[in-house]
Each structure stands twice: as C-alpha cells, then as structure tokens.
C-alpha cells in the first residue's frame, strides 16, 4: 500500500510513500492499531534512498546492539542506532538487526511542524517503516515532544483500579503481569507503556511489541517499583526519592537538556497526584491479595494528595538544583510583587556566583524562598549575602553562600532598587492581596 495510519497511545501517525517503488507493509504486531487516514496527527513521508540533510548534522547519542544472554548483557554490534542534530532537526539513524539485510533508515524530526520524513535504503519491495528499533525510537520522541512518559513496566487494570509495576530487568514485571492475568485482571502491557495526562487524570497505554496486540488503556491510580522479597511488603516513597526512582525506569535519552527538564517536570507533576511505592513481593497469588486488601482501604481517585505530601515535594527542587538541572515552579506569595506575581511560572537554575540584582532562590528549612540579592558583605575571609523581597519592608538576615540554591532564569541583573521603590511595591502588593481576598470571598 502507498499509505496507512496507526493510532497508538492516542497518537495518530500517518505514513505516506513519497518517493520510490516499494510498498509500505506494516508487520503483524501493528495490524490491531491500523486506523482510518484522518486529518491531523503526525504525518511521516517515506522516501527511498539517502538523507542528504544529515551530512551537516553532528552525532549527539549512539547506542550499540546489545543482547541479554543468561542474564548477561553482551554487545553484539558496535552500531545499532544513533541520534544526530543540526540547528533545525533531530535525526534518528538506525540499522535493522532483525531484518537480515543491509537496511538503513533515517527519520528526520523537525523542530516545528507535524510533518516528518523517513529515508530508507536497502529495504526491498516491502518496507515496514517501524521495524525494530525504529518503532520504540519514534514513539519515544513522539511521547517526549508531547510531554508524556514512556516507561518499562507492567500495566494492570483491576476492578476499576490501574497500576504500573516497574523495575529493572528481572525485577518481576512479567511475573506480576502473569499473576494479575490469572486473577482475572486486564494486562494493558507487560513491557513498554506510555503514560498520558487527560482531563480525568492519568491514563496508561500499551505499545505494539508482540503480534496480535490491540490498543489497550486504563486509568492510572498507583505506581509500584518492584523487586522480589522474602515477604510482601510495601513502603510509600515521596518527594525527590519518588521522582528520581520513577525516572530511573523511564525510557529517556539524556543528550538534550530540554528533554531531560521536560521529563523531570512530567514525572514530578505525576507524583503530585499518583502514589508511588516500593514493593517487595513473593511470586504467588498472595501478592495480588496483599495489594487488593491494602489499596481497597485507600483513596486512589487521582485527587491531589494531602498537605504533608505537598510540603515534602518542596524538597525535590533542592535535590534537582543540586544536580545542575533547571526546574520550573509556580510562584507563591507577594514578596517579589510586581516583578514576580503569585501563580506565575518561573524557571530556576543553579548559581555559583550570584551578584547584586540577581533574583535568587534561598533554602529555608527545606522550602524555597525567592528574593532579590541586594548586598554582598565581605569581612576578612567571611562572605555574607543579603537579600530582600521587592515588596518587603526589611531585608533578610545575612546568610552564607550555602543557603543560595539557585537563581531565577531569564531575568537580567538589575541594580539595587531604591527605598522609594520598595515602599511603592509594598503598597501595590498589599492592594493586590486585599483584592485577591475579596475575589475569593465572592466566589
């Protein structure tokens, strides 16, 4: 055929032959995902031959072909796939080790727009554009661009509750999927899932890995990070530990900082509403009873969790900033009004050498406070930093550099503002606070 469409995890992917004398022929594992050729979605135009545009791109990530034999990972070939980048596009260049021929392909993903291109060389008369490993690579970048999460795990739907059981190879994902299936639950998938946020909460979707699959999805109520144990035991985790633990099981390419930041924000947002636990389990039906009994007593309806958990999440930012990664947060309070308004989104980056005028982030008891640095005091070898909110009456007490964990990005350095400006800002902030309180009472 000359064109066909797939609907996977809610993404519409349209394939069209643009040049060449070949037929597009999806493998059997995609047949259950064939969709009508509808407007919208992502269109991939497939061409025969070489991609000339890639000549000016640089390699940013490379992956060898690895097989697992008796629990050991062995490198079979030096090259399997690699990611290249130029000013405008991302390129995925891959071989196809399971095809038994010298087939090569390049997928070009533009920085903007819904039209992608794929060049294929040596594919023969019938070409499956999503042969391994192109299928997972394309879906990963589609998920990443949409702010979604691809994760290794077993997805389960049981009596209206949706779970993900995730872990490293050998942790028990397939075992857990088998136990739930025997207990009458729906196994969404036992290997590769995509998590997407919807109007009614989070949904988990399967992706085509095996033959004769069809689209499956379920709501997500909880994530278990699993491992075999001597008994069934569950420990809830929160904050930075929960976020980093889930991230370690997500499929991600860490060559691009923006993509890393996006994945971090997505998982952090997920953790605000979805409980996350470590689960040690025995590989028998008792594990299913253990989870059903425990979760039957809990509210896992996707409602935002209690204040204690929200407070714990504030620690995430400190750990993330310490690693050198930028974070995006919503501002609270009026101390920096009108420069930063309540509810506004700010991006925070790490800083080592703040200067007066910078809007800095101060760690106070595990919380983050955003004020402007107004003065640096140097006495002998001791250096103290003084900050003040733009609408505060008095400056903060002097502090050491260790208390400054970051600065607000995209604000140019500004000189110390005069006392009259502080007074005006303070009056404006109080007026806005009164206005906001009146609005809340009227709602």
């Amino acid at each position: 055929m000359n064109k066909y469409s797939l609907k996977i995890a809610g993404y519409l992917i349209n394939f069209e032959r643009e040049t060449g004398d070949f037929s597009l022929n999806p493998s059997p594992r995609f047949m259950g995902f064939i969709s009508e050729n509808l407007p919208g979605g992502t269109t991939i135009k497939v061409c025969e031959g070489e991609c000339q545009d890639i000549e000016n791109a640089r390699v940013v990530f490379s992956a060898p072909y690895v097989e697992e034999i008796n629990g050991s990972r062995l490198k079979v070939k030096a090259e399997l796939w690699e990611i290249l980048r130029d000013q405008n596009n991302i390129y995925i260049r891959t071989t196809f080790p399971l095809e038994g021929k010298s087939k090569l392909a390049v997928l070009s993903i533009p920085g903007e727009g819904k039209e992608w291109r794929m060049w294929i060389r040596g594919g023969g008369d019938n070409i499956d554009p999503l042969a391994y490993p192109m299928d997972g690579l394309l879906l990963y970048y589609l998920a990443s661009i949409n702010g979604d999460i691809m994760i290794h795990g077993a997805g389960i739907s049981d009596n209206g509750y949706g779970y993900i059981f995730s872990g490293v190879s050998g942790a028990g994902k397939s075992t857990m999927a088998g136990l739930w299936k025997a207990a009458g639950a729906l196994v969404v998938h036992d290997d590769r899932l995509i998590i997407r946020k919807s109007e009614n909460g989070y949904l988990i979707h399967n992706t085509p890995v095996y033959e004769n699959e069809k689209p499956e999805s379920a709501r997500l109520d909880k994530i278990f990070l699993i491992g075999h144990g001597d008994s069934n035991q569950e420990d809830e985790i929160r904050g930075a530990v929960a976020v980093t633990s889930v991230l370690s099981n997500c499929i991600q390419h860490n060559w691009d900082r923006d993509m890393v930041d996006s994945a971090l924000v997505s998982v952090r947002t997920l953790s605000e509403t979805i409980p996350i636990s470590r689960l040690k389990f025995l590989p028998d039906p008792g594990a299913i009873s253990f989870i059903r009994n425990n979760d039957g007593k809990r509210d896992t309806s996707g409602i935002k969790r209690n204040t204690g958990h929200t407070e714990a999440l504030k620690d995430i930012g400190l750990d993330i900033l310490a690693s050198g990664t930028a974070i995006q947060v919503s501002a609270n309070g009026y101390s920096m009004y009108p420069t930063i308004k309540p509810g506004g989104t700010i991006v925070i980056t790490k800083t080592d050498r703040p200067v007066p005028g910078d809007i800095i982030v101060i760690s106070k008891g595990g919380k983050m406070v955003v004020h402007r640095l107004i003065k640096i005091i140097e006495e002998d070898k001791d250096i103290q930093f003084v900050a003040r909110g733009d609408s505060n009456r008095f400056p903060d007490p002097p502090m050491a550099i260790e208390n400054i964990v970051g600065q607000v990005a995209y604000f140019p350095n500004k000189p110390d503002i005069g006392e009259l400006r502080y007074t005006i800002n303070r009056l404006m902030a109080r007026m806005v606070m009164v206005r906001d309180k009146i609005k809340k009472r009227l709602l």
Side-chain angles (χ1 to χ4, degrees), residues 88-204:
N88 300 313
N89 303 286
I90 295 171
Y91 301 93
I92 301 172
R93 180 164 59 192
T94 183
T95 61
F96 296 85
L98 304 183
E99 298 251 316
K101 60 182 79 171
S102 57
K103 177 180 172 184
L104 298 171
V106 172
L107 175 65
S108 173
I109 304 174
E112 296 181 0
K114 293 288 187 179
E115 188 172 286
W116 301 6
R117 270 182 169 74
M118 183 184 293
W119 288 262
I120 298 179
R121 186 191 74 189
D125 296 331
N126 293 291
I127 289 177
D128 176 10
L130 287 184
Y132 171 83
M134 183 62 83
D135 58 333
L137 291 165
L138 186 149
L139 287 173
Y140 164 73
Y141 279 92
L142 198 55
S144 181
I145 288 168
N146 283 278
D148 301 323
I149 300 165
M150 183 180 272
I151 189 170
H152 284 300
I156 305 298
S157 179
D158 178 59
N159 295 320
Y161 290 90
Y163 306 121
I164 288 178
F165 298 90
S166 186
V168 298
S169 179
K173 297 185 291 294
S174 296
T175 300
M176 188 63 78
L179 291 171
W180 281 102
K181 184 177 181 180
L186 168 69
V187 178
V188 177
H189 209 267
D190 69 353
D191 182 32
R192 192 176 64 193
L193 301 163
I194 290 178
I195 306 173
R196 303 195 68 184
K197 192 173 185 180
S198 71
E199 293 180 357
N200 299 317
Y202 284 92
L203 296 177
I204 53 178

